[in-house]
C-alpha cells in the first residue's frame, strides 16, 4: 500500500513538476508541425498548467510513417518475445519509480483525487504493463487437427500499426490497458490521448524510451478529436484502431473505417450500469459501501459506474439511509488533499452538462446532495425517479449522480436493468445464491458482479454488450486478440512435390 504524503507536501510537488508540452513522435519530443498549441488546465483551479502541441493531420501522417517504418524493419515487431518482455517489465519498474510524480501530474491534469491516483491509477497502470510484458513469452500458437499428410499451423501475427484513441477519465490507466497488449504483441502504436489529459501519456513515452523501447514504436500525438482523432481513424496506413470513449464518437470510427481502408475497429464505449439490490441482501453496510463506491468513484466519471440503483421496495428506505451514511464520508474538495474522495469534474463544459441533469427534472425526488460545491465540483447526489424513461435513467451522466429506481420483484429488477441501450457492467446483491447466478446469466452486460461492485482486474476481460462496444476486449489474455491476427500455414508432408492442398 502506498504511503500517502500530506496535502502540503503534494502541493509542493505540484509546484516543482516539470510538465511535458510537446508531442512524442519517433523517440523525441516535437512541437506540432504547424507550431500551434493549446492550453491544458487544472480543472480543480482553472489554472493553466501549460501549453501542449496542437497537432493535426500532418503530424498524424508523420507519426504513422514512423510507426510503419519501425514495424516493417522489425526493430520491435521481430524482436525475441523475451526481449520485448524485458523492456515492458523495465517500463513498469520505471513507472513505479516515478509513481509519485505521475500521480501528482495526473491529479493536476484531470482533477482526480491524489488518493485515487496514488492508490489505483498509477500502480495499476504499472501492473498492467508488467502483466502483459510477462505474458509475451508464454503464449503458444496452435497446430490444427488436419490430415496425416499435412501439418496446419495457426499462428498469431501482430496486426501492424495501430491507432489508440483514449478518454480523459483514467488517462494513464486506459493508456496502459491499450499499449500493454499492443506493444506486447509487437505492434507499433500511435496514441491520441484526450486533449484534456495528455501529460502522463507524454511522460510515459519518455520512460518507455528509457526502458529501451525503440524509437517510432510508441508515438503520442496530442491534439483534438477533429484534428488528430479523425485523421488517425481515416488513415489508410493504420491497420486497426482501438477506441475508448463515448458511444457517439465510437460510431464515427466505424464510418472512418468504412470510408478508408476497412481497418479493424475495437470499441469500448459508455454504460448506464444497473446495480440491483434485492430484499434479502445481507449486510446492508457492506452493500451500501459498494453502492457508493460504484456510483461516486472518480466523481462518477467511470464507464462502468453503477449509476442506476434498482432496489426492491422492502429494503429501499433502509438501504438509502445506509448509502447516505457512507456517501457523507466522501469529502469533496481539493484533489491534492489526500483526505478528499471527490475531486473536480474534468472541465467546465462537462460540469455544465452534469449540472443540467440536476436542474432538469422537477418530478424527481433528490434524496441527497444535488448541490454544486464551487465551480467544477458536485457533491454526491442521489435522485429517486418517478419516470423510468427520464434522461436520468436513460443517459450516461458521467458525474456523481446515482439514480434510484424502486421495483417490486426480482423479475422486474432484471427487466429494468436490461432496459437500456448499454451493456457494460451490472451488479446484483442477494443472499439467494441460485437467484444471484440466474440473475448474472440474465443480465445483458460484459461484466456482472455478485454481492460486490467491481470491474475485475487485469486477469479478466473487460468490455461491453450492446452499444457499450464490440470488436474485442481489454484486459486479460483476450486483449491480445485485438492486436494480432490469425494466419494459417499449411505444410505438405507427402513425398510427391506436386501434391496440392485442397
Ligand atoms: P469522447 O468524447 O468520445 O472522446 C474520446 C476520445 O475521442 C478523445 O480522445 C477525443 O478527443 C476523441 N474524439 C472526440 N471526437 C472525435 C472525432 N470526431 N473523431 C475522432 N476522435 C474524436 O469521450 P470522453 O468524453 O473523452 O470519455 C468519456 C466516455 O468514455 C464515456 O462515454 C465513457 O463511458 C467512455 N469510457 C468507456 C470505457 C470502456 O472501457 N468501455 C472506459 C472509459 C471511458 P478530444 O476529446 O481530445 O477532442
Ligand atoms: Mg487538464
Amino acid at each position: 500500500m502506498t504511503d500517502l504524503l500530506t496535502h502540503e507536501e503534494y502541493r509542493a510537488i505540484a509546484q516543482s513538476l516539470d510538465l511535458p508540452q510537446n508531442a512524442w513522435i519517433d523517440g523525441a519530443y516535437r512541437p506540432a508541425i504547424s507550431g500551434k498549441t493549446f492550453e491544458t488546465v487544472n480543472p480543480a483551479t482553472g489554472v493553466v498548467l501549460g501549453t501542449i502541441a496542437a497537432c493535426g493531420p500532418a503530424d498524424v501522417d508523420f507519426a504513422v510513417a514512423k510507426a510503419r517504418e519501425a514495424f516493417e524493419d522489425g526493430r520491435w515487431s521481430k524482436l525475441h518475445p523475451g526481449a520485448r518482455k524485458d523492456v515492458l517489465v523495465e517500463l513498469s519498474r520505471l513507472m513505479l519509480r516515478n509513481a509519485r510524480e505521475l500521480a501528482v501530474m495526473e491529479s493536476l491534469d484531470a482533477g482526480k483525487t491524489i488518493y485515487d491516483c496514488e492508490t489505483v491509477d498509477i500502480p495499476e497502470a504499472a501492473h498492467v504493463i508488467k502483466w502483459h510484458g510477462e505474458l509475451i513469452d508464454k503464449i503458444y500458437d496452435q497446430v490444427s487437427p488436419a490430415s496425416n499428410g499435412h501439418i496446419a499451423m495457426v499462428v498469431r501475427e501482430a496486426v501492424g500499426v495501430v491507432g489508440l484513441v483514449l478518454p480523459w477519465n483514467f488517462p494513464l490507466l486506459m493508456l496502459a490497458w491499450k499499449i500493454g497488449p499492443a506493444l506486447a504483441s509487437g505492434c507499433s502504436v500511435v496514441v491520441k490521448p484526450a486533449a484534456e489529459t495528455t501529460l502522463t501519456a507524454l511522460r510515459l513515452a519518455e520512460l518507455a524510451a528509457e526502458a529501451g523501447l525503440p524509437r517510432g514504436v510508441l508515438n503520442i500525438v496530442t491534439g483534438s478529436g477533429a484534428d488528430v482523432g479523425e485523421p488517425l481513424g481515416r488513415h489508410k496506413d493504420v491497420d486497426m484502431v482501438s477506441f475508448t470513449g463515448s458511444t457517439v464518437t465510437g460510431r464515427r470510427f466505424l464510418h472512418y473505417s468504412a470510408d478508408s481502408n476497412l481497418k479493424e475497429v475495437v470499441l469500448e464505449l459508455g454504460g448506464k450500469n444497473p446495480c440491483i439490490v434485492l430484499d434479502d441482501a445481507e449486510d446492508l453496510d457492506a452493500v451500501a459501501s459498494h453502492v457508493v463506491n460504484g456510483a461516486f468513484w472518480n466523481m462518477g466519471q467511470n464507464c462502468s459506474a453503477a449509476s442506476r440503483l434498482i432496489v426492491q421496495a422492502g429494503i429501499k428506505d433502509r438501504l438509502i439511509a445506509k448509502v447516505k451514511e457512507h456517501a457523507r464520508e466522501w469529502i469533496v474538495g481539493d484533489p491534492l488533499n489526500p483526505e478528499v474522495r471527490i475531486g473536480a469534474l474534468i472541465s467546465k463544459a462537462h460540469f455544465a452538462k452534469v449540472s443540467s441533469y440536476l436542474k432538469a427534472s422537477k418530478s424527481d425526488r433528490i434524496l441527497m446532495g444535488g448541490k454544486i460545491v464551487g465551480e467544477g465540483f458536485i457533491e454526491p447526489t442521489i435522485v429517486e425517479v418517478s419516470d423510468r424513461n427520464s434522461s436520468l435513467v436513460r443517459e450516461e451522466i458521467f458525474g456523481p449522480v446515482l439514480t434510484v429506481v424502486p421495483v417490486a420483484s426480482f423479475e422486474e429488477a432484471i427487466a429494468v436493468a436490461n432496459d437500456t441501450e448499454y451493456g457494460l457492467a451490472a451488479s446484483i446483491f442477494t443472499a439467494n445464491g441460485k437467484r444471484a447466478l440466474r440473475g448474472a446469466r440474465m443480465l445483458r452486460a460484459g461484466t456482472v458482479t455478485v454481492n460486490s461492485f467491481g470491474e475485475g482486474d487485469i486477469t479478466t476481460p473487460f468490455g461491453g454488450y450492446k452499444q457499450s462496444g464490440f470488436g474485442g476486449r481489454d484486459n486479460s489474455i483476450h486483449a491480445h486478440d485485438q492486436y494480432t491476427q490469425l494466419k494459417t500455414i499449411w505444410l505438405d508432408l507427402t513425398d510427391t512435390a506436386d501434391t496440392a492442398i485442397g
Side-chain angles (χ1 to χ4, degrees):
M1 187 71 187
T2 320
D3 285 328
L4 298 177
L5 302 179
T6 64
H7 193 180
E8 283 315 309
E9 286 168 326
Y10 283 120
R11 281 213 280 235
I13 295 175
Q15 294 301 323
S16 67
L17 286 181
D18 185 13
L19 301 176
Q21 51 187 3
N22 286 318
W24 179 273
I25 303 174
D26 196 28
Y29 279 127
R30 295 169 200 274
I33 292 168
S34 68
K36 288 187 189 158
T37 61
F38 64 95
E39 290 180 338
T40 194
V41 173
N42 176 352
T45 59
V47 167
V48 174
L49 293 167
T51 55
I52 304 287
C55 295
D59 304 276
V60 172
D61 283 345
F62 179 57
V64 171
K66 290 297 166 186
R68 173 60 62 193
E69 212 175 282
F71 185 75
E72 297 302 335
D73 74 16
R75 68 187 84 158
W76 178 252
S77 54
K78 297 194 176 68
L79 210 59
H80 187 285
R84 292 208 301 271
K85 171 177 79 175
D86 290 346
V87 171
L88 292 182
V89 170
E90 174 62 7
L91 170 59
S92 169
R93 201 185 64 77
L94 290 176
M95 288 167 77
L96 290 178
R97 208 171 74 189
N98 293 277
R100 184 134 283 153
E101 178 203 357
L102 288 166
V104 176
M105 214 182 252
E106 195 83 311
S107 174
L108 288 176
D109 205 13
K112 294 170 77 82
T113 66
I114 191 68
Y115 178 82
D116 286 344
C117 295
E118 284 262 42
T119 60
V120 182
D121 291 70
I122 310 303
E124 185 59 22
H127 176 62
V128 165
I129 297 288
K130 184 170 161 205
W131 194 88
H132 286 293
E134 287 178 339
L135 190 63
I136 319 174
D137 60 354
K138 295 161 194 76
I139 300 178
Y140 290 72
D141 288 330
Q142 297 171 325
V143 176
S144 95
S147 76
N148 278 338
H150 303 100
I151 290 178
M153 294 183 286
V154 183
V155 300
R156 287 197 168 275
E157 294 187 341
V159 89
V161 173
V162 309
L164 304 175
V165 181
L166 304 176
W168 43 257
N169 58 344
F170 294 91
L172 193 70
L173 188 54
M174 289 301 106
L175 176 74
W177 278 21
K178 306 261 185 220
I179 64 167
L183 294 178
S185 302
C187 293
S188 293
V189 308
V190 178
V191 179
K192 185 222 145 346
E196 283 98 345
T197 51
T198 53
L199 298 177
T200 50
L202 292 168
R203 184 76 183 98
L204 177 125
E206 210 180 336
L207 293 176
E210 196 182 325
L213 191 72
R215 58 194 297 155
V217 175
L218 169 63
N219 306 279
I220 314 283
V221 185
T222 49
S224 71
D227 294 337
V228 176
E230 180 163 352
L232 196 55
R234 291 188 181 279
H235 207 290
K236 288 216 162 55
D237 205 25
V238 170
D239 298 299
M240 69 95 55
V241 165
S242 185
F243 169 81
T244 293
S246 62
T247 297
V248 173
T249 310
R251 202 180 293 278
R252 287 175 185 256
F253 275 91
L254 294 178
H255 287 287
Y256 300 158
S257 168
D259 294 344
S260 57
N261 62 341
L262 288 179
K263 59 177 66 60
E264 287 183 48
V265 178
V266 174
L267 302 177
E268 296 288 357
L269 309 174
K272 186 72 184 176
N273 310 291
C275 172
I276 297 173
V277 183
L278 299 179
D279 274 351
D280 65 354
E282 287 175 339
D283 191 355
L284 279 198
D285 256 314
V287 177
S289 162
H290 282 294
V291 169
V292 166
N293 204 27
F296 302 131
W297 183 49
N298 203 37
M299 293 65 82
Q301 299 172 139
N302 181 3
C303 54
S304 52
S307 51
R308 288 186 295 146
L309 177 60
I310 299 168
V311 55
Q312 210 172 346
I315 206 172
K316 190 189 84 181
D317 291 343
R318 277 190 301 140
L319 177 66
I320 296 293
K322 290 275 183 203
V323 169
K324 284 171 152 177
E325 234 175 77
H326 282 267
R328 275 189 215 105
E329 290 166 16
W330 284 50
I331 302 168
V332 186
D334 181 357
L336 284 182
N337 178 347
E339 305 285 313
V340 162
R341 293 293 173 276
I342 302 271
L345 297 188
I346 185 67
S347 63
K348 278 188 181 160
H350 188 58
F351 171 72
K353 182 187 149 196
V354 176
S355 310
S356 73
Y357 281 100
L358 299 181
K359 290 174 197 143
S361 173
K362 299 268 179 289
S363 58
D364 301 320
R365 226 157 52 92
I366 295 199
L367 305 177
M368 179 178 179
K371 283 193 219 72
I372 286 159
V373 193
E375 179 140 23
F377 296 79
I378 294 179
E379 62 180 358
T381 296
I382 307 175
V383 189
E384 183 173 337
V385 289
S386 47
D387 174 8
R388 289 180 185 177
N389 282 317
S390 84
S391 56
L392 282 168
V393 179
R394 297 267 156 216
E395 293 171 19
E396 184 184 44
I397 300 173
F398 229 54
V401 181
L402 175 64
T403 304
V404 180
V405 187
V407 290
S409 63
F410 167 73
E411 289 72 21
E412 190 187 2
I414 299 286
V416 170
N418 283 337
D419 184 15
T420 168
E421 62 191 25
Y422 294 113
L424 192 56
S427 316
I428 179 163
F429 291 83
T430 170
N432 181 329
K434 238 173 150 177
R435 197 177 256 183
L437 278 180
R438 204 145 50 86
R441 297 307 291 257
M442 290 165 83
L443 287 164
R444 304 256 298 132
T447 299
V448 179
T449 51
V450 176
N451 291 329
S452 68
F453 166 79
E455 296 161 343
D457 65 13
I458 181 62
T459 62
T460 51
F462 182 83
Y465 281 27
K466 300 196 270 184
Q467 292 188 39
S468 289
F470 75 90
R473 289 288 187 261
D474 284 329
N475 288 347
S476 83
I477 195 167
H478 299 284
H480 290 240
D481 296 343
Q482 287 186 42
Y483 304 104
T484 54
Q485 50 196 339
L486 295 179
K487 177 181 279 180
T488 305
I489 303 174
W490 280 89
L491 299 183
D492 184 352
L493 301 182
T494 53
D495 275 345
T496 45
D498 60 349
T499 307
I501 292 168

